[in-house]
Amino acid sequence: DTGVSQNPRHKITKRGQNVTFRCDPISEHNRLYWYRQTLGQGPEFLTYFQNEAQLEKSRLLSDRFSAERPKGSFSTLEIQRTEQGDSAMYLCASSGTYPGLAGAEQFFGPGTRLTVL
Amino acid sequence: GESVGLHLPTLSVQEGDNSIINCAYSNSASDYFIWYKQESGKGPQFIIDIRSNMDKRQGQRVTVLLNKTVKHLSLQIAATQPGDSAVYFCAEMAGGGADGLTFGKGTHLIIQP
């Protein structure tokens, strides 16, 4: 399978615990995005990496959230001191080139569904 | 704030008919638009994209129309099939993509036999 993969697919945690999700993008893609999606809504942008550099962060990304892409390949998203409001689907997407050019579309992974009890 | 939205939360069509899903956007700086299909429990699946210097683009059974004058985007699906049942999102992007895609709330397309 050469698509975007995410692990774990499901995570149930208790409020106050830390969680970490992993995203493996399509191997030749240098751009990686994280989104959050709640029930009935479209995905909301969280952060963006170009290679290993985190170039943009949304206001939605509070200081309890941190993302890394240490070698410009896989990425991790960590949520510290989880809250019930963090319950959502966390989606990762990757793309290869400048948006609007052929091959620049973002391909999404299956997501990690987080439930905070 | 500026966002992308869809006109109808649900659209029901007969199998074999054509369907049109509409989307209005408000960010005049947007220069790239994408339609995604999302099935239950899965991530969004790319359908088709269009740049702001185009007004129409066709794919296999799908056509995207862009009207920049009224900031309107539509997705036409020809000869709908049961597998087309899903939630459809339009999304827009401005500039170099550093701010990611802005998605609307989605239209749930239901294909009736």
Side-chain angles (χ1 to χ4, degrees), chain A:
Chain A
D1 187 351
T2 57
V4 178
S5 62
Q6 293 187 246
N7 289 287
R9 294 293 309 278
H10 303 274
K11 179 70 177 178
I12 299 174
T13 191
K14 293 183 179 179
R15 188 177 54 188
Q17 298 294 305
N18 298 343
V19 295
T20 301
F21 310 140
R22 175 176 170 129
C23 170
D24 287 89
I26 294 171
S27 59
E28 62 268 26
H29 284 180
N30 61 351
R31 292 170 174 243
L32 186 146
Y33 300 82
W34 283 99
Y35 294 82
R36 180 174 70 187
Q37 185 177 25
T38 54
L39 195 62
Q41 304 295 315
E44 297 173 293
F45 169 74
L46 292 178
T47 190
Y48 159 64
F49 289 85
Q50 183 164 327
N51 298 311
E52 67 277 8
Q54 187 174 19
L55 299 184
E56 193 65 35
K57 293 192 289 186
S58 163
R59 292 189 302 273
L60 294 174
L61 211 66
S62 76
D63 56 6
R64 295 185 297 106
F65 288 67
S66 62
E68 295 181 343
R69 195 183 182 196
K71 298 182 180 179
S73 56
F74 74 92
S75 176
T76 58
L77 177 68
E78 181 183 16
I79 308 174
Q80 296 181 325
R81 304 181 304 280
T82 52
E83 302 173 356
Q84 288 183 326
D86 296 331
S87 295
M89 175 78 85
Y90 290 85
L91 293 161
C92 175
S94 70
S95 71
T97 61
Y98 188 89
L101 298 180
E105 59 268 26
Q106 293 185 23
F107 293 93
F108 282 81
T112 295
R113 181 167 295 284
L114 173 66
T115 301
V116 181
L117 301 177

Side-chain angles (χ1 to χ4, degrees), chain B:
Chain B
E2 295 180 300
S3 63
V4 177
L6 290 173
H7 294 293
L8 291 175
T10 302
L11 177 64
S12 182
V13 300
Q14 292 291 125
E15 182 178 350
D17 286 352
N18 299 335
S19 65
I20 299 176
I21 301 172
N22 295 304
C23 173
Y25 67 94
S26 58
N27 186 353
S28 57
S30 295
D31 55 8
Y32 180 56
F33 303 88
I34 307 180
W35 280 99
Y36 283 94
K37 171 187 179 183
Q38 188 172 28
E39 297 172 291
S40 181
K42 298 184 179 180
Q45 176 188 354
F46 173 86
I47 300 174
I48 192 168
D49 60 358
I50 189 168
R51 288 179 286 169
S52 59
N53 62 352
M54 305 170 67
D55 54 21
K56 181 179 181 180
R57 192 169 186 212
Q58 289 184 295
Q60 187 176 14
R61 286 201 305 119
V62 295
T63 301
V64 56
L65 299 176
L66 175 63
N67 185 331
K68 294 181 290 295
T69 302
V70 294
K71 299 190 182 71
H72 185 268
L73 192 70
S74 68
L75 176 70
Q76 300 177 0
I77 305 174
T80 52
Q81 303 169 358
D84 294 330
S85 292
V87 178
Y88 289 80
F89 293 96
C90 66
E92 54 91 4
M93 179 183 287
D99 290 333
L101 292 164
T102 298
F103 284 80
K105 292 184 178 180
T107 290
H108 185 192
L109 180 64
I110 299 171
I111 309 300
Q112 295 186 343

